[in-house]
Amino acid sequence: MGNLFAKHKVPRRAITDTDKAVLQLKTQRRQLTAQKTRVEGLIAREIAVAKELIVAKKHERALLALRKKRLREGQLELIDAYLLNVEQVLANIEAAQRQNRLYDALKQGTVALQALQKEVSLEDVEALREDTAAAGEAERHVRELLAESLSAEDDAAALQELAALEDAEEAAEAARLPAVPARPTAAATQEEAAPAAHALEREAIAELAEPAQKREAAIAPAKPPTQRAAKRGRALAVEEPLAA
């Protein structure tokens, strides 16, 4: 149980001379930076003192303060030069470390590639190619033998059997599909609609003809009476006065 919850210690990397040199350079950089800050403070103090002395009309002491300021400025320039050299060396070391890491990675990659190449030799690849070619040749030979052993009748029978199987598969697939209602054709629709159209046409002609006959009867002049009707009318006209 103790081993399960125990923390695995990460192996520490050995400290090299390069690591020690980098540590020393960073320590020097930190010290130079602190010294630069102190010198800048002294320069600012000398300037302030010189201004006070000038106000107090103490020109000689003010000149001395300015000379100290110039001395401090020289020290500051020297510190800046040291800092620049330290930064340059640190940058070169970091670049060299990056190059070394890249070289190690490339080296490990090359070793891994060589190990993989050793697992599969050129002879093995050639043998595999030959085996593949031999297997293909054997397959082709088998197909040729099968083609020679079958006659034309066998070939035709096989084709018929293939067509029958395809038809059976299509019929089974059609049976599995839902039935689709048949849409009436244009000819059937026209035949069904023809009697109704003729009946409507006859009704419309009859409706149009009936008012026309009535109008003709109203407009037509009365026919002249026949001779027999005229004689009978004259006789009735003569008899009416005699009766009176």
Side-chain angles (χ1 to χ4, degrees):
M1 292 295 293
N3 294 330
L4 293 175
F5 297 99
K7 295 182 179 179
H8 297 285
K9 293 183 179 181
V10 179
R12 294 183 179 180
R13 187 174 61 86
I15 299 175
T16 61
D17 295 337
T18 302
D19 297 333
K20 294 178 181 179
V22 170
L23 179 61
Q24 291 179 359
L25 287 171
K26 290 182 178 180
T27 302
Q28 290 294 326
R29 182 178 62 183
R30 184 171 61 255
Q31 292 176 356
L32 288 172
T33 302
Q35 186 177 0
K36 178 180 178 181
T37 303
R38 186 176 63 83
V39 171
E40 288 175 349
L42 293 175
I43 292 174
R45 181 175 175 276
E46 295 296 340
I47 293 173
V49 170
K51 289 181 179 180
E52 292 176 357
L53 292 174
I54 290 173
V55 173
K57 304 298 182 180
K58 297 180 180 180
H59 298 286
E60 293 182 359
R61 295 185 62 183
L63 182 59
L64 180 60
L66 292 175
R67 287 176 179 175
K68 289 181 179 180
K69 181 183 77 69
R70 294 297 302 273
L71 179 62
R72 303 297 182 188
E73 289 176 350
Q75 292 178 354
L76 185 61
E77 292 178 358
L78 187 60
I79 292 171
D80 288 337
Y82 289 159
L83 280 173
L84 180 61
N85 291 333
V86 170
E87 292 289 350
Q88 186 66 38
V89 173
L90 286 173
N92 293 336
I93 291 174
E94 291 177 358
Q97 287 176 343
R98 286 194 297 270
Q99 292 177 359
N100 290 338
R101 288 194 294 269
L102 177 61
Y103 171 77
D104 292 338
L106 293 174
K107 185 177 180 180
Q108 292 177 0
T110 304
V111 172
L113 180 60
Q114 290 175 354
L116 292 173
Q117 290 176 348
K118 288 180 180 179
E119 292 179 0
V120 181
S121 62
L122 183 61
E123 291 78 7
D124 295 337
V125 176
E126 291 179 352
L128 178 62
R129 186 181 64 180
E130 292 176 358
D131 294 340
T132 304
E137 183 66 23
E139 180 67 20
R140 186 181 62 80
H141 186 60
V142 169
R143 288 199 300 268
E144 290 178 355
L145 291 176
L146 290 175
E148 291 177 358
S149 62
L150 292 176
S151 62
E153 295 179 356
D154 295 333
D155 194 8
L159 291 175
Q160 290 179 358
E161 185 177 0
L162 176 62
L165 291 175
E166 291 178 351
D167 294 339
E169 180 63 24
E170 291 179 359
E173 186 176 359
R176 289 193 296 269
L177 294 176
V180 179
R183 297 179 61 183
T185 59
T189 305
Q190 292 178 0
E191 291 178 358
E192 293 176 358
H198 291 316
L200 292 175
E201 185 177 359
R202 287 195 298 270
E203 291 178 1
I205 292 172
E207 290 177 358
L208 293 175
E210 183 177 357
Q213 292 176 359
K214 291 180 179 180
R215 287 195 301 271
E216 290 177 358
I219 297 172
K223 294 182 178 180
T226 59
Q227 294 180 359
R228 184 177 180 180
K231 290 179 179 180
R232 186 177 180 181
R234 286 195 297 269
L236 289 175
V238 172
E239 291 177 357
E240 286 180 358
L242 291 177

